[in-house]
Amino acid sequence: MMRARTPWLLVGAAGVFVSAYVHFYLYFWGGYRGISPDRIAGLDISRSFALSAIAGLVIAEFLVVSVRFERLALPASILGIGFALGALGASVLARTTGLLGFEESSWTVEAVVVTVAEVVAVLVLGRVLALRSTTH
């Protein structure tokens, strides 16, 4: 049954990776590095983009490794869904409440790409969990 989950895991990993890459891109080349109008527990908008890039890369790699090691598919999928939902939630909060001083409300290409990637990750990794529940 693992072969049935392989494409879903890889697409989920791609969604998480694209999200991480966009956050990396925005941090280094998009002007988000070094800005910190607000801080919460030492975290500012700049650091949140850097941390998101690192976490997303690690989770995407974990999802790819779970293709080979079946026992990792469940925790990797849960982490991937959590990452994508967290990023989507942070985006909504930042755009509606100005979380961490974020004041951007327009939909840039990067915002659209990252939102689509995160929604895809949630949906396909949810499918992995659904496949798992039907086999056990």
Side-chain angles (χ1 to χ4, degrees):
M1 186 47 108
M2 184 61 182
R3 291 192 192 274
R5 288 194 299 249
T6 297
W8 300 107
L9 286 166
L10 293 176
V11 171
V16 171
F17 179 79
V18 167
S19 175
Y21 175 78
V22 169
H23 286 98
F24 174 83
Y25 170 81
L26 290 172
Y27 179 75
F28 283 104
W29 296 286
Y32 288 84
R33 187 176 188 174
I35 58 171
S36 58
D38 290 337
R39 285 184 184 245
I40 299 173
L43 185 65
D44 58 30
I45 193 70
S46 178
R47 287 186 182 151
S48 71
F49 274 76
L51 290 174
S52 179
I54 293 166
L57 179 61
V58 170
I59 292 168
E61 188 67 32
F62 191 35
L63 284 160
V64 171
V65 169
S66 75
V67 169
R68 171 71 172 89
F69 301 101
E70 184 175 349
R71 68 183 179 281
L72 300 177
L74 178 64
S77 296
I78 291 170
L79 281 173
I81 290 170
F83 171 82
L85 287 175
L88 287 167
S91 176
V92 168
L93 287 173
R95 290 173 176 279
T96 58
T97 67
L99 178 70
L100 296 174
F102 189 79
E103 296 178 2
E104 181 70 46
S105 60
S106 65
W107 281 92
T108 62
V109 171
E110 292 88 353
V112 172
V113 168
V114 78
T115 300
V116 169
E118 290 160 358
V119 168
V120 166
V122 168
L123 294 175
V124 299
L125 294 173
R127 176 71 175 148
V128 170
L129 296 180
L131 286 171
R132 179 149 176 93
S133 67
T134 61
T135 60
H136 289 102

